Amino acid sequence: MAVSTLFSTGLLNEHSISFMPMKFCTGLMCNYSNLFSKQAFCPKPVSVFAGLRLSMRNGIRCSTLEIESSPSFSIGKKFQLDDVIEAQQFDREILSTIFEVAREMEKIDKNSPGCQILKGYLMATLFYEPSTRTRLSFESAMKRLGGEVLTTENAREFSSAAKGETLEDTVRTVEGYSDIIVMRHFESGAARRAAATANIPIINAGDGPGQHPTQALLDIYTIDREIGKLDSIKVAFVGDLANGRTVRSLAYLLAKYKDVKIYFVSPDVVKIKDDIKDYLTARGVKWEECADLIEVASKCDVVYQTRIQRERFGERIDLYEEARGKYIVDSYVLNVMQKHAVVMHPLPRLDEITVDVDTDPRAAYFRQAKNGLHIRMALLKLLLVGW
């Protein structure tokens, strides 16, 4: 693709000509449809000067440059997705692709600190809600692949959102500075709105009580690594199932696999919502709501514990106190679990897993968090340069 552009530089002297560096990407009409389907988005270019015409007017040089652009990476196979918004986007083929690349990312993490796969790319992390693991793992993932990061934490309070700027206007602005946006928002559906607005990839890092698809990806990747299979498994979801976006997203992914059974164990005030139960039923996934954690834990391959989310209760502190502390994974639960089974948690935890569980080899939650780095490295690579 050739692009002509007119630009002016400083004074011309007798002996030298100096040019300001040209950088361009978003906003140019690019024909990389074999790589990206989002209109007007192109990968970071390398500028090649094909021709130069100079004219002089009052000591000022005006020039017309013929610039030919080409990607700075080896073009690979296009990833099937343009954005990561919800767990329903993934099928087993896409999941297998992500897992394969994640395993390669683990090797890079251990052995190639100077990796430059995403050199020249900028990722913006736009977080309207607090985050530790998700934001830092995305930023670490980008930097370990040679890319750079633009970040804002608590954008709800410290960005122009506090002045009343719409999400759409914020996204249009930030995409002008970056090549991919990772966004956490307090409203369900916000990531979908951002993706409909942006011309660069959007990754949903959690949207209110809606979904958290990258957490679900690292969760199911962890189950595969820990248990050794995803078909014919039994999973217990425990805790805040009404507000737990991680539970919702992982349930959607588990429905892709055969002969899976899911147990829902929660206080009455935070039971799993009907839309998830209907989704599982429509896809032939067996599920059951239970009150006895000990009984369920003895049957399952995975006990997926979650925190009772104080921030989702608003002024109803009484309901929060009613739900908190009812189901705790401790040594009594471990004693009934099978030897191959694991305890998982999306973190952060409060008191729903006792600290004495940490030393048991079946406590997988910190390994789970580490797997998040490799999954997110894989997603950034796949969305930006293919595989």
Side-chain angles (χ1 to χ4, degrees), residues 15-46:
H15 306 293
S16 65
I17 298 175
S18 62
F19 294 89
M20 294 179 72
M22 294 289 292
K23 292 183 179 180
F24 60 98
C25 184
T26 304
L28 293 181
M29 297 305 295
C30 302
N31 187 21
Y32 289 123
S33 58
N34 61 317
L35 283 175
F36 298 92
S37 64
K38 283 206 167 189
Q39 186 179 10
F41 173 75
C42 62
K44 276 288 188 191
V46 175

Side-chain angles (χ1 to χ4, degrees), residues 88 102 115 151 177-178 238 373:
Q88 297 95 308
C115 177
T151 187
Y177 310 146
S178 58
V238 186
L373 172 63

Side-chain angles (χ1 to χ4, degrees), residues 158-172:
F158 296 116
S159 77
S160 291
K163 304 174 184 177
E165 183 175 55
T166 66
L167 173 64
E168 286 76 9
D169 281 1
T170 299
V171 168
R172 290 187 185 101

Side-chain angles (χ1 to χ4, degrees), residues 115-140:
C115 177
Q116 298 295 299
I117 291 175
L118 296 183
K119 183 179 181 180
Y121 286 86
L122 279 169
M123 177 187 75
T125 53
L126 189 60
F127 278 61
Y128 291 82
E129 284 190 328
S131 171
T132 302
R133 276 152 297 277
T134 301
R135 185 171 66 88
L136 292 183
S137 66
F138 265 114
E139 293 179 5
S140 176

Side-chain angles (χ1 to χ4, degrees), residues 346-361:
L347 302 178
R349 69 170 165 186
L350 300 179
D351 55 2
E352 64 274 3
I353 299 179
T354 58
V355 294
D356 58 320
V357 174
D358 295 354
T359 56
D360 192 289

